[in-house]
Amino acid sequence: MPLGANKAALFGMGGISGEDIELISTTTLSGNSEFAFTGFSSDYKSLMWQFVGMNGSAHDSDLVFRCRESGEDYGIYTTTSAFRVVNPNSGSGALQYQPAADAAHSDQEIIFGYNLDDGSEAANTANSGVFQLFNPTSGIFIKQFSTQIDGGFATSGGGAQNFSTGGYINTTTALEAIEFKWDDPTGTMDAGKILYWGIK
């Protein structure tokens, strides 16, 4: 799907030709408890999900993901590192290492958006960002990923944050699916879009 200048702005600075990028799908969120993407194609060396204006029903909740291989359950051992830059509306911004959001060889849900505001602290809060997965269908390499989420964070009075994670899903088997959701079991994805890209 041609996106003209928008596609060039998204990927051109990374040295990726517009011909190498395909928008696979666009999902509008409206109360989903989770959302899964399945059936990865070996045509793509990397997959990318853009979260645009995303908000949920649960305050002070985390965005999490988990992956699975063909015919297996979700939950592959994963290791990450997590940092965020925060600036409350009251001031006193800081760069913070986030050990509570780190995973050390964990097969549980993995945090990639931490301590997010659902609009309770700042009515105009929305969360946007990117999740990129490398070599998802490789039968040789482990599956590295990097993420960045910008938006509000759940502190009294509200504020802005940039939350970044990186790491690897410790399998050399091809992945078949990834699932995104809130860590709060009652949380739903009430607004925003997820754009799903393939990069050749």
Side-chain angles (χ1 to χ4, degrees), residues 1 8 15-16 19 25 32 39 45 48 53 60 73-74 86 88 114 116 120 125 143-144 148 160-161 173:
M1 174 180 290
I16 301 171
E19 290 76 28
S25 68
N32 309 70
K45 300 301 182 188
M48 180 182 289
D60 194 3
D73 294 331
Y74 282 102
V86 296
Y114 183 63
L116 297 173
S120 299
T125 294
K143 313 304 184 281
Q144 289 147 331
Q148 180 171 294
Q161 75 163 318
T173 301

Side-chain angles (χ1 to χ4, degrees), residues 38-62:
T38 62
F40 299 156
S41 170
S42 59
D43 291 343
Y44 304 116
K45 300 301 182 188
S46 177
L47 298 173
M48 180 182 289
W49 292 267
Q50 285 181 288
F51 299 87
V52 182
M54 188 174 180
N55 222 325
S57 63
H59 185 58
D60 194 3
S61 191
D62 303 331

Side-chain angles (χ1 to χ4, degrees), residues 98-156:
Q98 294 294 307
D102 265 355
H105 198 58
S106 171
D107 63 352
Q108 303 303 302
E109 295 169 342
I110 305 300
I111 296 171
F112 72 101
Y114 183 63
N115 190 212
L116 297 173
D117 181 17
D118 67 346
S120 299
E121 300 297 343
N124 56 355
T125 294
N127 304 288
S128 300
V130 175
F131 184 113
Q132 187 166 9
L133 177 63
F134 301 92
N135 295 308
T137 61
S138 172
I140 300 172
F141 300 111
I142 60 173
K143 313 304 184 281
Q144 289 147 331
F145 67 91
S146 62
T147 78
Q148 180 171 294
I149 299 292
D150 297 299
F153 72 109
T155 186
S156 179

